[in-house]
Amino acid sequence: MTRLLFAVVALAVVATTGSSLTTVLGQWDVAHFAAIAENGYAVEIDRAFFPGLPLLMRVGMGLGASPQASGVVIALICSALATWALYRLGGRLAAIAWLLAPTSVFTAVGYTESPFCAAAFWAWERASNKCWGQAAVLAALACTLRVSGLFLIGALAILALTQRGRVRLIVRRLAWLLLPAATLFGYVLFLYTETGSWTAWFSAQAAGWERGFHWPWEAFWNSWQSLQPGMYPEHPEWVWIFRGEMVSVFVGLAVAIVALAKRRIAESAWVAVQVLAFSLSYWFQSVNRAVLLWFPLWTQIAEFVETRRHGGWRAVWALVALAALALQGVWAWLFFSGRWAS
């Protein structure tokens, strides 16, 4: 239903604006990934994007598809794989909750959310079942897609240390994580050979999105200023983006605390380190999309709903699902029409 909803909204935008389907599907960061797929890293700020998705888009181009269309196909396949992994991690309700996330439009277009979630969720599922070789390969795939792979390695390392076993077995688990670490370093080395700088990725982030280092209280204050009414008179909807970013940060903190209280230390670390990273930037940015990566959030929601499924609760969850679909539709419309992303 969610994938169908996005298709209907995209076609509605095409019909009402006169834009081509390629333009509608190629909004915001999709344009960066498509440009890399077509021309490589010709623009400095494009170095902020990892090469995994553009390489997959380029394969699609070799088969005759546009990078935008390739991105949609990749997203749909990978969102199905991510849903399957969540089903194994937290059950049917966790998978449904993830599909109903307000920002799920980013899992249906050429963004890295779907492929990263597919690789990262399955890496966690395999590691949880002590199949560390498979987990390492999947984590390495995740590391080709976005810098979040670094946080995945750290969380998996904590999971390796907290799983029972002899010292030799723990060392073996940790050794497997050298594979995704080497993958990350490979991109850093590539950028160094291209630019002569070991910090080329950070420079691209700062140049394109003002993501230089700031203290958490500075990030909070700048974000608080950005969500005030009237801040963007030409784009009043942007205020709601920053309000969502603020809410997402507090959701992340709550998820990390709950996971820690339940002694799921690795899961808590997976979310907490991302919240910390977002808090060290100029303002809270892209946290609305990052919630899609926080599988502990969706498993915690599933656990909460599971104990409240009878009587009047059924009507409550039905209304929540309908509200989520409506919010998804609005967010998709604004994304496909080019009015906001986040």
Side-chain angles (χ1 to χ4, degrees):
M1 287 181 63
T2 59
R3 308 303 101 168
L4 179 61
L5 171 65
F6 297 142
V8 169
V9 173
L11 292 174
V13 172
V14 170
T16 56
T17 64
S19 301
S20 68
L21 185 59
T22 298
T23 299
V24 168
L25 297 177
Q27 301 285 3
W28 302 98
D29 287 357
V30 180
H32 291 284
F33 290 117
I36 297 169
E38 294 173 329
N39 307 309
Y41 289 97
V43 181
E44 179 189 358
I45 63 172
D46 283 350
R47 296 174 188 139
F49 299 93
F50 279 54
L53 180 57
L55 286 172
L56 291 175
M57 286 180 167
R58 195 166 184 85
V59 172
M61 292 168 60
L63 298 175
S66 68
Q68 294 82 2
S70 299
V72 170
V73 173
I74 293 164
L76 293 177
I77 293 172
C78 290
S79 63
L81 292 172
T83 304
W84 182 14
L86 263 178
Y87 175 80
R88 292 177 64 89
L89 285 168
R92 181 169 59 93
L93 294 176
I96 292 173
W98 185 76
L99 289 171
L100 289 174
T103 53
S104 281
V105 66
F106 298 107
T107 67
V109 293
Y111 269 63
T112 57
E113 273 66 22
S114 273
F116 183 86
C117 285
F121 292 175
W122 275 107
W124 200 273
E125 191 277 340
R126 291 288 79 201
S128 299
N129 287 286
K130 301 182 180 180
C131 300
W132 280 91
Q134 298 173 28
V137 172
L138 290 161
L141 291 174
C143 287
T144 68
L145 294 161
R146 53 191 295 150
V147 74
S148 309
L150 176 63
F151 308 137
L152 178 62
I153 294 171
L156 286 172
I158 294 174
L159 182 62
L161 291 169
T162 54
Q163 281 183 346
R164 293 181 179 180
R166 296 180 178 179
V167 174
R168 183 174 63 180
L169 185 57
I170 294 174
V171 171
R172 186 182 302 172
R173 296 169 188 159
L174 293 173
W176 273 114
L177 296 180
L178 293 175
L179 177 61
T183 304
L184 271 180
F185 179 74
Y187 183 53
V188 174
L189 183 61
F190 165 76
L191 291 181
Y192 175 76
T193 59
E194 292 288 307
T195 66
S197 171
W198 289 108
T199 60
W201 183 84
F202 293 99
S203 299
Q205 285 281 337
W209 294 270
E210 298 186 30
R211 285 183 171 167
F213 176 82
H214 289 78
W215 293 108
W217 50 88
E218 293 176 324
F220 178 86
W221 176 249
N222 292 332
S223 298
W224 180 258
Q225 292 292 102
S226 299
L227 57 80
Q228 301 304 314
M231 278 297 295
Y232 304 98
E234 295 182 0
H235 299 279
E237 65 274 10
W238 288 5
V239 171
W240 288 100
I241 293 179
F242 287 104
R243 289 173 180 172
E245 304 283 16
M246 185 73 74
V247 170
S248 295
V249 167
F250 284 107
V251 167
L253 287 173
V255 170
I257 291 170
V258 171
L260 188 62
K262 294 183 176 182
R263 298 184 180 180
R264 300 171 183 172
I265 301 174
E267 292 185 12
S268 178
W270 166 238
V271 178
V273 71
Q274 294 181 65
V275 173
L276 175 62
F278 286 119
S279 300
L280 296 176
S281 187
Y282 176 78
W283 50 19
F284 303 143
Q285 189 177 36
S286 301
V287 196
N288 291 329
R289 288 190 283 123
V291 299
L292 295 165
L293 280 56
W294 300 343
F295 68 87
L297 167 62
W298 312 112
T299 57
Q300 287 178 21
I301 289 175
E303 291 169 358
F304 181 83
V305 174
E306 186 65 41
T307 59
R308 298 164 177 83
R309 296 181 59 188
H310 305 289
W313 282 108
R314 292 190 177 187
V316 171
W317 302 133
L319 291 173
V320 168
L322 289 174
L325 285 171
L327 185 55
Q328 282 188 341
V330 172
W331 207 303
W333 179 276
L334 293 169
F335 173 84
F336 288 130
S337 60
R339 295 180 62 181
W340 75 2
S342 184

